[in-house]
Amino acid sequence: MSKVRYGIIGIGNMGSGHARILTDGSIKGAVLTAVCDGFEKQRQWARENLKDVAVFEDSASMIDSGLVDAVIVATPHYDHPVEAIQAFDKGMHVLIEKPAGVYAKQVREMNEAAAASSKKFGIVYNQRMNPLYQKLRDLIVSGELGEIRRTNWIITNWYRSQAYYDSGSWRATWGGEGGGVLINQCPHNLDLWQWTIGMMPKRIRAFCQFGKHRDIEVENDVTAYVEYENGATGVFITATSEAPGTNRFEVSGDRGKIVIEEGRMTFWRLRESETAFNERNKELFGAPECWKIDIPSDGPSPEHAGILQNFTDSVRNNTPLVAPGEEGIKGLTISNAMHLSTWLDGWVDLPFDEALHEAELNKRIAKSAYQRQEASAGSKTV
Amino acid sequence: MSKVRYGIIGIGNMGSGHARILTDGSIKGAVLTAVCDGFEKQRQWARENLKDVAVFEDSASMIDSGLVDAVIVATPHYDHPVEAIQAFDKGMHVLIEKPAGVYAKQVREMNEAAAASSKKFGIVYNQRMNPLYQKLRDLIVSGELGEIRRTNWIITNWYRSQAYYDSGSWRATWGGEGGGVLINQCPHNLDLWQWTIGMMPKRIRAFCQFGKHRDIEVENDVTAYVEYENGATGVFITATSEAPGTNRFEVSGDRGKIVIEEGRMTFWRLRESETAFNERNKELFGAPECWKIDIPSDGPSPEHAGILQNFTDSVRNNTPLVAPGEEGIKGLTISNAMHLSTWLDGWVDLPFDEALHEAELNKRIAKSAYQRQEASAGSKTV
């Protein structure tokens, strides 16, 4: 394949961003040939701004036109799996926006469709391209940090005012988005939380607060405690109503601790492992020798362009994906489990009961101030 | 009273420390006249090192000698209330070491004895003398930070090796200490957590892990989530098996956030309150203007000497106590509730069922590898 011909489903905030990257020539081996959107206003924007790009009203027509090899799904969250499954059925490569979907059950069906196809499946986890998180993963995978003992991510700098929430009737509703900060703002963090350390929690106890300091239906303040198979524990805290908030990710291991905060990584590295020190130490208040190390920066993150280049390379040359679409279910599973733990006021073991989660979610959708239209092949803006 | 004549009950690690401060002349208006200890080795140390100080085998004899006006209780934790109640009954002023006791029920009885007496009652919460925490309390009480929204204390730098735990058969046992890191290492942090913000939690969900990476009976790894009456939430994390660990206390409020870490305080101050900004803001991604402020240090903490001077001044001149003994029950209540929440695997509302807690504790004491002797008036070293 000389160039991957892309079609974008949904030309809202995210879709138009992808369109700009694809049309500015920065992605080698990629060309934008078509877009589709259910809204005339968005199609009008496409006709005016995207040269030599066909514009369709719905994704089926766009795919059936034969103009595209791969689609980028940038619709509202609920429709990601719907569109992806349809695209796989029609032989497309598929790159979906985050989150993978709203509930694990629908995402599992999407993953099954991807597995049954021979096409590439990616997710726009652009923060996996950030050298800071890649370095953290490297230091953990390579054993520099030793076995993980604790994770702690305070990510409370997702500030959103009431004006933000009031800007769309679907925003922050069970019917429109299927969740709040966990579904809309935190998918990257929830993905990185498990991707960097290479472990999923085995059980979760979460405390979501709904409409905290904001007039909304869904959660915008979350504290979650998790336990991992190896005995490690973790905490994840997020909020949209705090200013300025904090973004501090700490991981402790047998060889010290790593903290990422304010765009910098610091590694407090033990000269020998805590386990080895503890076994040989005889001093009452002895502690292992520790070196504070400023880990050098590997430069800025290529972000969305990095994901698009990686996906394009994978389609053309079968190179490995940084963010395989099948992995979208991991962060979503954590997010779903946090909701379910709060709703049930108890522990949720992983893998959890996806049907129970869906039933509980549907109760809230039924009472939601926002009621979606029937699902259609047409896409909508995010 | 020209000088307060002190007697120390228990001349172990802490008691001998107080003796040194009282005999080096740094406390104005105080004199050490007597000490007592159940162990001959400790009495021998006192005879050799403390000039003009009477040495007794038990506290009753020391108090009955008429040589002292005030006692400092520095015995094992379980005996703090026992000794304090006896001393109040005999008309002493009483300064107790932390923790106030091991379970809230016995500490409540001590507080009642104190209330029934006309004497001063203090607790050695020396970290309340630290200008950093005094400043934090000041910034909160004065309204600079606005209404509290979140607290987060990661205090995982209480590193203790197995050699430490093996240094005494009573250490880290239910029978000997009645708990682990919450009872032995964290009383200061648990006190400061509520004292600086001026709020106790209304309910607690805690996750204690027992003997984490160490061969001990009690908890040495704790994550706790709390909710306050005003809707704020909080997290407290501690551990003894992590190196180098972290000591980072963050408090968020309507006017920004304050972080104390590595002995420094930073105040991210909003120019206007988040509430006021949110009400007037019309911009989709608007956020309040924030100033990062390095709060200047007010110098080193006078620590134990500060507490001794404050207590002495209070006895002589009726000046206010920085750490009234009655307040010892607050941190202990949080600690007890964390144990109880873990044991019951559920929420604990405050005030909690003290009899239930005592019964659960007694189950663990009954199975403990360390069985205490009958309580006696004689004191033991810590």
Side-chain angles (χ1 to χ4, degrees):
Chain A
M1 185 179 297
S2 63
K3 283 198 173 187
V4 181
R5 299 173 305 155
Y6 280 96
I8 299 174
I9 305 176
I11 301 287
N13 284 335
M14 299 312 299
S16 59
H18 291 299
R20 273 187 288 265
I21 295 170
L22 286 168
T23 53
D24 75 4
S26 59
I27 309 302
K28 193 179 162 189
V31 60
L32 180 67
T33 51
V35 299
C36 67
D37 203 293
F39 286 99
E40 170 56 23
K41 186 181 162 196
Q42 300 307 124
R43 293 194 297 273
Q44 189 58 34
W45 176 89
R47 286 186 211 101
E48 290 169 5
N49 291 277
L50 303 175
K51 198 183 161 194
D52 300 329
V53 172
V55 178
F56 296 88
E57 284 193 28
D58 61 81
S59 53
S61 309
M62 180 179 81
I63 295 170
D64 292 340
S65 73
L67 288 171
V68 302
D69 309 306
V71 297
I72 299 174
V73 180
T75 61
H77 320 324
Y78 275 110
D79 297 329
H80 293 173
V82 178
E83 295 289 352
I85 289 169
Q86 178 190 251
F88 282 124
D89 286 347
K90 291 173 180 277
M92 297 286 105
H93 301 283
V94 178
L95 178 62
I96 56 168
E97 260 297 336
K98 58 86 197 169
V102 174
Y103 49 100
K105 189 158 159 278
Q106 63 165 187
V107 172
R108 193 168 299 285
E109 290 161 9
M110 172 174 68
N111 284 357
E112 286 161 7
S117 99
S118 59
K119 302 300 176 181
K120 294 294 177 186
F121 180 31
I123 183 165
V124 186
Y125 275 152
N126 46 291
Q127 292 202 23
R128 285 197 185 186
M129 302 305 297
N130 187 329
L132 271 175
Y133 298 115
Q134 292 193 341
K135 181 62 68 70
L136 176 60
R137 181 175 153 86
D138 167 25
L139 292 174
I140 290 169
V141 169
S142 65
E144 283 282 351
L145 188 58
E147 186 169 23
I148 303 297
R149 294 189 172 187
R150 186 186 309 283
T151 67
N152 186 287
W153 202 337
I154 306 174
I155 174 72
T156 51
N157 68 347
W158 285 118
Y159 187 76
R160 294 293 183 269
S161 68
Q162 190 64 46
Y164 168 87
Y165 289 118
D166 292 345
S167 68
S169 60
W170 50 273
R171 278 203 195 278
T173 61
W174 294 111
E177 294 201 271
V181 65
L182 293 174
I183 286 287
N184 192 310
Q185 284 79 32
C186 282
H188 293 300
N189 311 110
L190 293 174
D191 174 58
L192 294 173
W193 189 26
Q194 61 81 27
W195 181 69
T196 54
I197 65 169
M199 299 194 300
M200 283 285 284
K202 71 168 187 178
R203 64 173 186 162
I204 294 181
R205 183 69 178 92
F207 311 93
C208 297
Q209 299 200 323
F210 306 96
K212 188 81 174 279
H213 301 293
R214 295 292 182 271
D215 182 20
I216 56 174
E217 293 177 3
V218 296
E219 86 288 350
N220 65 329
D221 191 305
V222 180
T223 301
Y225 168 76
V226 303
E227 293 177 353
Y228 301 92
E229 193 63 45
N230 75 340
T233 66
V235 166
F236 185 91
I237 302 171
T238 191
T240 67
S241 58
E242 283 179 29
T246 292
N247 181 359
R248 181 182 187 277
F249 186 18
E250 172 175 312
V251 185
S252 306
D254 194 30
R255 290 298 296 256
K257 70 168 179 175
I258 296 175
V259 176
I260 297 178
E261 189 172 14
E262 297 184 354
R264 285 188 300 275
M265 179 186 292
T266 308
F267 184 6
W268 283 263
R269 186 174 187 278
L270 302 185
R271 192 166 172 184
E272 67 185 316
S273 75
E274 193 286 317
T275 301
F277 173 84
N278 185 53
E279 279 173 7
R280 70 166 180 78
N281 173 60
K282 305 290 182 202
E283 287 179 40
L284 196 62
F285 289 96
E289 182 177 335
C290 180
W291 302 342
K292 183 179 177 182
I293 301 167
D294 296 320
I295 300 291
S297 167
D298 286 336
S301 173
E303 294 286 350
H304 292 84
I307 287 289
L308 285 171
Q309 187 64 66
N310 174 254
F311 188 77
T312 302
D313 292 345
S314 184
V315 171
R316 295 176 78 207
N317 308 318
N318 206 30
T319 49
L321 287 169
V322 172
E326 293 82 356
E327 295 185 12
I329 202 168
K330 293 186 176 182
L332 184 68
T333 292
I334 297 172
S335 159
N336 283 181
M338 287 180 182
H339 279 148
L340 191 58
S341 172
T342 303
W343 294 335
L344 304 180
D345 198 17
W347 288 107
V348 169
D349 294 325
L350 265 55
F352 65 92
D353 183 338
E354 293 177 5
L356 174 62
H357 171 268
E358 190 189 4
E360 288 290 327
L361 175 61
N362 283 337
K363 284 186 203 170
R364 283 146 186 97
I365 292 171
K367 291 185 207 161
S368 176
Y370 184 88
Q371 296 296 322
R372 281 186 306 146
Q373 307 297 309
E374 284 288 302
S376 75
S379 56
K380 299 179 193 70
T381 56
V382 176
Chain B
M1 184 181 293
S2 61
K3 284 200 171 184
V4 180
R5 300 174 304 157
Y6 280 96
I8 298 174
I9 304 176
I11 300 287
N13 284 336
M14 300 311 299
S16 59
H18 291 300
R20 274 186 287 264
I21 295 170
L22 285 168
T23 53
D24 75 4
S26 59
I27 308 303
K28 192 178 161 190
V31 59
L32 180 67
T33 51
V35 298
C36 66
D37 202 292
F39 286 99
E40 171 55 24
K41 186 182 162 195
Q42 300 306 125
R43 294 194 296 272
Q44 188 60 33
W45 176 89
R47 284 185 213 103
E48 289 168 7
N49 291 276
L50 304 174
K51 196 182 161 198
D52 300 329
V53 172
V55 178
F56 295 88
E57 285 192 26
D58 62 82
S59 54
S61 308
M62 181 179 80
I63 295 170
D64 291 341
S65 72
L67 288 172
V68 301
D69 308 308
V71 296
I72 299 173
V73 180
T75 61
H77 320 323
Y78 274 110
D79 298 329
H80 293 173
V82 178
E83 294 289 353
I85 290 169
Q86 179 191 252
F88 282 125
D89 285 347
K90 292 173 180 275
M92 297 285 105
H93 302 282
V94 178
L95 178 62
I96 57 167
E97 259 298 336
K98 57 85 195 169
V102 174
Y103 49 100
K105 189 156 158 277
Q106 63 166 185
V107 171
R108 194 168 298 285
E109 290 163 7
M110 172 173 67
N111 284 359
E112 286 162 7
S117 95
S118 59
K119 303 300 177 180
K120 294 294 177 187
F121 180 31
I123 183 165
V124 185
Y125 275 151
N126 45 292
Q127 292 201 23
R128 285 196 185 186
M129 303 304 297
N130 187 329
L132 272 174
Y133 298 114
Q134 293 193 340
K135 180 63 67 72
L136 175 60
R137 181 175 154 86
D138 167 24
L139 292 174
I140 291 169
V141 170
S142 65
E144 283 283 351
L145 188 59
E147 187 170 22
I148 303 298
R149 292 190 173 185
R150 186 185 310 283
T151 67
N152 185 286
W153 201 337
I154 305 173
I155 174 74
T156 50
N157 68 346
W158 284 118
Y159 187 76
R160 295 292 184 270
S161 67
Q162 191 64 44
Y164 168 86
Y165 289 118
D166 292 344
S167 68
S169 60
W170 51 273
R171 278 203 195 277
T173 61
W174 295 111
E177 294 201 271
V181 64
L182 293 174
I183 286 287
N184 192 311
Q185 283 80 31
C186 283
H188 293 300
N189 311 109
L190 294 174
D191 174 59
L192 294 173
W193 190 26
Q194 61 80 27
W195 181 69
T196 54
I197 65 170
M199 297 194 300
M200 283 285 284
K202 73 168 183 178
R203 64 173 186 163
I204 294 180
R205 183 69 178 91
F207 310 93
C208 298
Q209 298 199 323
F210 306 96
K212 187 81 174 279
H213 301 292
R214 296 291 183 271
D215 182 21
I216 55 174
E217 293 177 3
V218 295
E219 86 287 349
N220 66 329
D221 191 305
V222 180
T223 301
Y225 168 76
V226 303
E227 293 177 352
Y228 301 94
E229 192 64 44
N230 75 341
T233 66
V235 165
F236 185 92
I237 301 171
T238 191
T240 67
S241 59
E242 283 178 31
T246 293
N247 181 359
R248 182 181 186 278
F249 186 19
E250 171 175 312
V251 185
S252 306
D254 194 30
R255 291 298 296 257
K257 70 168 179 174
I258 296 174
V259 176
I260 297 178
E261 188 172 13
E262 297 185 355
R264 286 188 300 275
M265 179 186 293
T266 308
F267 184 7
W268 283 263
R269 187 173 186 278
L270 302 184
R271 192 165 171 187
E272 67 186 316
S273 76
E274 192 287 315
T275 300
F277 173 84
N278 186 52
E279 279 173 8
R280 73 167 179 78
N281 174 60
K282 304 290 182 202
E283 287 179 40
L284 196 62
F285 289 97
E289 182 178 335
C290 180
W291 303 341
K292 183 178 177 182
I293 302 166
D294 296 319
I295 299 291
S297 166
D298 286 337
S301 173
E303 295 285 351
H304 292 86
I307 287 289
L308 285 172
Q309 187 65 65
N310 173 254
F311 189 78
T312 302
D313 293 346
S314 185
V315 171
R316 294 176 78 205
N317 308 318
N318 208 29
T319 50
L321 286 169
V322 171
E326 293 83 356
E327 295 184 11
I329 202 168
K330 293 185 176 182
L332 184 67
T333 292
I334 297 172
S335 159
N336 283 180
M338 288 179 181
H339 279 148
L340 191 58
S341 172
T342 303
W343 294 335
L344 304 180
D345 198 18
W347 288 106
V348 169
D349 294 326
L350 266 55
F352 65 92
D353 183 339
E354 292 176 5
L356 174 62
H357 172 268
E358 190 189 3
E360 287 291 327
L361 175 61
N362 282 338
K363 284 185 203 170
R364 285 149 185 95
I365 292 171
K367 291 185 207 161
S368 176
Y370 184 88
Q371 297 295 323
R372 281 186 307 145
Q373 307 298 309
E374 284 287 303
S376 74
S379 55
K380 300 181 190 68
T381 57
V382 176

